[in-house]
Amino acid sequence: MGRHEHTREDVPSAGTDRGSRDAPIRVLIVDDHLLFADVIQRTLEADGMEVVAAVATGGEALSVFRDERPQLVLVDLALPDRNGLAVGEVILEQAPDTVVVALTALDDPQLVKQVLRAGFRGYVTKDCPVAQLREAISQAVGGRVVVAVPSRRVGNGSRGSKKEGVALLAGQLTPREREVLALLAQGAGSAEMARHLGISPNTLRTHVQSVLTKLQVHSRLEAASFAVRNELVPEGDRRPGSAVRRSQATSLAG
């Protein structure tokens, strides 16, 4: 792990696109959990990055990578067609300067070692808060090796207690607030949400604030991420789209 901890001189080129110093960082997201991928995409686009595609399989990832050559690749380690670690290794063989970061639901020290040994720039668990995810990606692009796991887990850290903690938080939501949370997870803006629910903007703001308070999060994006990570939103409650979703600017502010 030590050999990866230095800052490489070629890393600043990750912030440029084909030589343009002002171009946004181009990102490929590889994750078969479409709702989670949507949350990641909105987070990165809000930070000024360009998501060239979000794909669900390793095969699609390698095809898109060959065509688009993004500077940053976020790859789930558990893909339906192949191991995400192997996908990252192929990408790094083709383009060693690419910043590859693993996304996973597993907090496994041995897997962390394997990922970093393969040349990945980071290892991020999916239950990290949005702010921690943003910071991890920023550090990875900046040349650091990062391992991001949540510093504060619900319950005492065991899987059973974590589920119980999530259930306690989610159990406080009213049926209307659950509708609001589902719309947040879909990336709906304020106007769209108010129109869909048939309520005024002021009433909507009250519901949204109540959702944030009850889930102990600080933003709409974190609420959406919480819902996706903990499967609080039914799989059918997702925006339509193909497996490869080209970049579309979506605002959570409405």
PDB file of all heavy atoms in Angstrom, residues 4 11 21-22 38 56 72 81 86 89 101 120 151 168 190 234 238:
ATOM      1  N   HIS A   4       1.737   3.326  -3.166  1.00  0.00           N
ATOM      2  CA  HIS A   4       0.702   4.103  -3.838  1.00  0.00           C
ATOM      3  C   HIS A   4       0.460   5.450  -3.171  1.00  0.00           C
ATOM      4  O   HIS A   4      -0.346   6.229  -3.654  1.00  0.00           O
ATOM      5  CB  HIS A   4      -0.622   3.324  -3.849  1.00  0.00           C
ATOM      6  CG  HIS A   4      -0.552   2.041  -4.618  1.00  0.00           C
ATOM      7  ND1 HIS A   4      -0.450   2.010  -5.989  1.00  0.00           N
ATOM      8  CD2 HIS A   4      -0.560   0.755  -4.201  1.00  0.00           C
ATOM      9  CE1 HIS A   4      -0.412   0.756  -6.392  1.00  0.00           C
ATOM     10  NE2 HIS A   4      -0.477  -0.022  -5.322  1.00  0.00           N
ATOM     11  N   VAL A  11      -0.831  13.452 -12.469  1.00  0.00           N
ATOM     12  CA  VAL A  11      -2.227  13.461 -12.055  1.00  0.00           C
ATOM     13  C   VAL A  11      -2.981  14.712 -12.469  1.00  0.00           C
ATOM     14  O   VAL A  11      -4.136  14.626 -12.866  1.00  0.00           O
ATOM     15  CB  VAL A  11      -2.347  13.254 -10.527  1.00  0.00           C
ATOM     16  CG1 VAL A  11      -3.748  13.547 -10.044  1.00  0.00           C
ATOM     17  CG2 VAL A  11      -1.952  11.835 -10.188  1.00  0.00           C
ATOM     18  N   ARG A  21      -7.097  22.968 -20.430  1.00  0.00           N
ATOM     19  CA  ARG A  21      -6.873  23.109 -18.998  1.00  0.00           C
ATOM     20  C   ARG A  21      -8.167  23.421 -18.236  1.00  0.00           C
ATOM     21  O   ARG A  21      -8.277  23.145 -17.053  1.00  0.00           O
ATOM     22  CB  ARG A  21      -5.826  24.207 -18.757  1.00  0.00           C
ATOM     23  CG  ARG A  21      -5.298  24.268 -17.339  1.00  0.00           C
ATOM     24  CD  ARG A  21      -4.162  25.248 -17.245  1.00  0.00           C
ATOM     25  NE  ARG A  21      -3.011  24.801 -18.017  1.00  0.00           N
ATOM     26  CZ  ARG A  21      -2.075  23.997 -17.526  1.00  0.00           C
ATOM     27  NH1 ARG A  21      -2.164  23.539 -16.301  1.00  0.00           N
ATOM     28  NH2 ARG A  21      -1.037  23.642 -18.270  1.00  0.00           N
ATOM     29  N   ASP A  22      -9.146  24.026 -18.933  1.00  0.00           N
ATOM     30  CA  ASP A  22     -10.367  24.443 -18.253  1.00  0.00           C
ATOM     31  C   ASP A  22     -11.502  23.426 -18.372  1.00  0.00           C
ATOM     32  O   ASP A  22     -12.586  23.647 -17.836  1.00  0.00           O
ATOM     33  CB  ASP A  22     -10.840  25.791 -18.820  1.00  0.00           C
ATOM     34  CG  ASP A  22      -9.827  26.907 -18.567  1.00  0.00           C
ATOM     35  OD1 ASP A  22      -9.164  26.843 -17.521  1.00  0.00           O
ATOM     36  OD2 ASP A  22      -9.713  27.804 -19.414  1.00  0.00           O
ATOM     37  N   ASP A  38     -27.436   6.987 -10.185  1.00  0.00           N
ATOM     38  CA  ASP A  38     -28.051   8.301 -10.402  1.00  0.00           C
ATOM     39  C   ASP A  38     -27.616   9.300  -9.339  1.00  0.00           C
ATOM     40  O   ASP A  38     -27.339  10.464  -9.619  1.00  0.00           O
ATOM     41  CB  ASP A  38     -29.578   8.183 -10.394  1.00  0.00           C
ATOM     42  CG  ASP A  38     -30.126   7.623 -11.702  1.00  0.00           C
ATOM     43  OD1 ASP A  38     -29.389   7.636 -12.698  1.00  0.00           O
ATOM     44  OD2 ASP A  38     -31.278   7.171 -11.708  1.00  0.00           O
ATOM     45  N   ALA A  56     -24.030  -0.445 -16.493  1.00  0.00           N
ATOM     46  CA  ALA A  56     -24.378  -1.434 -15.483  1.00  0.00           C
ATOM     47  C   ALA A  56     -23.517  -2.685 -15.517  1.00  0.00           C
ATOM     48  O   ALA A  56     -23.596  -3.512 -14.610  1.00  0.00           O
ATOM     49  CB  ALA A  56     -25.852  -1.834 -15.641  1.00  0.00           C
ATOM     50  N   LEU A  72     -11.529   9.673 -14.990  1.00  0.00           N
ATOM     51  CA  LEU A  72     -11.901   9.068 -13.705  1.00  0.00           C
ATOM     52  C   LEU A  72     -12.939   7.977 -13.939  1.00  0.00           C
ATOM     53  O   LEU A  72     -13.913   8.186 -14.660  1.00  0.00           O
ATOM     54  CB  LEU A  72     -12.481  10.149 -12.773  1.00  0.00           C
ATOM     55  CG  LEU A  72     -13.117   9.696 -11.460  1.00  0.00           C
ATOM     56  CD1 LEU A  72     -12.083   9.041 -10.547  1.00  0.00           C
ATOM     57  CD2 LEU A  72     -13.773  10.887 -10.755  1.00  0.00           C
ATOM     58  N   ASP A  81     -21.788  -9.187 -14.661  1.00  0.00           N
ATOM     59  CA  ASP A  81     -21.128 -10.023 -15.663  1.00  0.00           C
ATOM     60  C   ASP A  81     -19.682 -10.358 -15.340  1.00  0.00           C
ATOM     61  O   ASP A  81     -19.132 -11.322 -15.866  1.00  0.00           O
ATOM     62  CB  ASP A  81     -21.192  -9.350 -17.035  1.00  0.00           C
ATOM     63  CG  ASP A  81     -20.480  -8.006 -17.068  1.00  0.00           C
ATOM     64  OD1 ASP A  81     -20.374  -7.357 -15.997  1.00  0.00           O
ATOM     65  OD2 ASP A  81     -20.038  -7.583 -18.155  1.00  0.00           O
ATOM     66  N   ALA A  86     -11.353  -6.801 -11.768  1.00  0.00           N
ATOM     67  CA  ALA A  86     -10.768  -7.177 -13.059  1.00  0.00           C
ATOM     68  C   ALA A  86     -11.011  -6.090 -14.103  1.00  0.00           C
ATOM     69  O   ALA A  86     -10.137  -5.806 -14.937  1.00  0.00           O
ATOM     70  CB  ALA A  86     -11.352  -8.501 -13.529  1.00  0.00           C
ATOM     71  N   GLU A  89      -8.552  -3.367 -13.541  1.00  0.00           N
ATOM     72  CA  GLU A  89      -7.209  -3.776 -13.961  1.00  0.00           C
ATOM     73  C   GLU A  89      -7.043  -3.642 -15.472  1.00  0.00           C
ATOM     74  O   GLU A  89      -5.995  -3.194 -15.957  1.00  0.00           O
ATOM     75  CB  GLU A  89      -6.947  -5.207 -13.516  1.00  0.00           C
ATOM     76  CG  GLU A  89      -6.750  -5.344 -12.011  1.00  0.00           C
ATOM     77  CD  GLU A  89      -6.587  -6.791 -11.571  1.00  0.00           C
ATOM     78  OE1 GLU A  89      -7.175  -7.687 -12.226  1.00  0.00           O
ATOM     79  OE2 GLU A  89      -5.884  -7.032 -10.582  1.00  0.00           O
ATOM     80  N   VAL A 101     -11.433   4.325  -8.994  1.00  0.00           N
ATOM     81  CA  VAL A 101     -11.861   4.244  -7.597  1.00  0.00           C
ATOM     82  C   VAL A 101     -12.909   3.148  -7.469  1.00  0.00           C
ATOM     83  O   VAL A 101     -13.872   3.103  -8.248  1.00  0.00           O
ATOM     84  CB  VAL A 101     -12.435   5.587  -7.103  1.00  0.00           C
ATOM     85  CG1 VAL A 101     -12.992   5.459  -5.687  1.00  0.00           C
ATOM     86  CG2 VAL A 101     -11.364   6.679  -7.160  1.00  0.00           C
ATOM     87  N   PHE A 120      -5.643   0.751  -8.109  1.00  0.00           N
ATOM     88  CA  PHE A 120      -6.763   1.660  -7.911  1.00  0.00           C
ATOM     89  C   PHE A 120      -6.312   2.832  -7.031  1.00  0.00           C
ATOM     90  O   PHE A 120      -5.450   2.679  -6.177  1.00  0.00           O
ATOM     91  CB  PHE A 120      -7.915   0.943  -7.207  1.00  0.00           C
ATOM     92  CG  PHE A 120      -8.741   0.042  -8.088  1.00  0.00           C
ATOM     93  CD1 PHE A 120      -8.150  -0.929  -8.877  1.00  0.00           C
ATOM     94  CD2 PHE A 120     -10.120   0.163  -8.113  1.00  0.00           C
ATOM     95  CE1 PHE A 120      -8.911  -1.769  -9.674  1.00  0.00           C
ATOM     96  CE2 PHE A 120     -10.898  -0.671  -8.906  1.00  0.00           C
ATOM     97  CZ  PHE A 120     -10.284  -1.644  -9.695  1.00  0.00           C
ATOM     98  N   SER A 151     -17.388   6.997   9.102  1.00  0.00           N
ATOM     99  CA  SER A 151     -16.817   7.140  10.444  1.00  0.00           C
ATOM    100  C   SER A 151     -17.865   6.948  11.516  1.00  0.00           C
ATOM    101  O   SER A 151     -17.561   6.656  12.665  1.00  0.00           O
ATOM    102  CB  SER A 151     -16.183   8.529  10.603  1.00  0.00           C
ATOM    103  OG  SER A 151     -17.133   9.539  10.328  1.00  0.00           O
ATOM    104  N   LEU A 168     -35.429   2.244  12.337  1.00  0.00           N
ATOM    105  CA  LEU A 168     -35.921   3.202  13.322  1.00  0.00           C
ATOM    106  C   LEU A 168     -36.039   4.603  12.721  1.00  0.00           C
ATOM    107  O   LEU A 168     -37.019   5.310  12.946  1.00  0.00           O
ATOM    108  CB  LEU A 168     -34.991   3.234  14.537  1.00  0.00           C
ATOM    109  CG  LEU A 168     -35.064   2.038  15.491  1.00  0.00           C
ATOM    110  CD1 LEU A 168     -33.963   2.125  16.535  1.00  0.00           C
ATOM    111  CD2 LEU A 168     -36.437   1.988  16.165  1.00  0.00           C
ATOM    112  N   SER A 190     -37.968  20.731  -7.158  1.00  0.00           N
ATOM    113  CA  SER A 190     -39.032  21.193  -6.267  1.00  0.00           C
ATOM    114  C   SER A 190     -40.352  21.403  -6.995  1.00  0.00           C
ATOM    115  O   SER A 190     -41.415  20.985  -6.521  1.00  0.00           O
ATOM    116  CB  SER A 190     -38.613  22.495  -5.580  1.00  0.00           C
ATOM    117  OG  SER A 190     -37.518  22.280  -4.727  1.00  0.00           O
ATOM    118  N   PRO A 234     -38.571   1.610  -3.652  1.00  0.00           N
ATOM    119  CA  PRO A 234     -38.811   0.434  -4.490  1.00  0.00           C
ATOM    120  C   PRO A 234     -38.071   0.542  -5.811  1.00  0.00           C
ATOM    121  O   PRO A 234     -37.885   1.636  -6.355  1.00  0.00           O
ATOM    122  CB  PRO A 234     -40.333   0.451  -4.702  1.00  0.00           C
ATOM    123  CG  PRO A 234     -40.862   1.232  -3.546  1.00  0.00           C
ATOM    124  CD  PRO A 234     -39.812   2.268  -3.235  1.00  0.00           C
ATOM    125  N   ARG A 238     -37.832   4.604 -10.257  1.00  0.00           N
ATOM    126  CA  ARG A 238     -36.593   5.119 -10.825  1.00  0.00           C
ATOM    127  C   ARG A 238     -36.908   5.814 -12.132  1.00  0.00           C
ATOM    128  O   ARG A 238     -37.896   5.524 -12.787  1.00  0.00           O
ATOM    129  CB  ARG A 238     -35.586   4.000 -11.074  1.00  0.00           C
ATOM    130  CG  ARG A 238     -36.071   2.964 -12.057  1.00  0.00           C
ATOM    131  CD  ARG A 238     -34.980   1.990 -12.406  1.00  0.00           C
ATOM    132  NE  ARG A 238     -34.494   1.308 -11.229  1.00  0.00           N
ATOM    133  CZ  ARG A 238     -34.079   0.050 -11.230  1.00  0.00           C
ATOM    134  NH1 ARG A 238     -34.142  -0.648 -12.334  1.00  0.00           N
ATOM    135  NH2 ARG A 238     -33.616  -0.509 -10.125  1.00  0.00           N
TER     136      ARG A 238
END
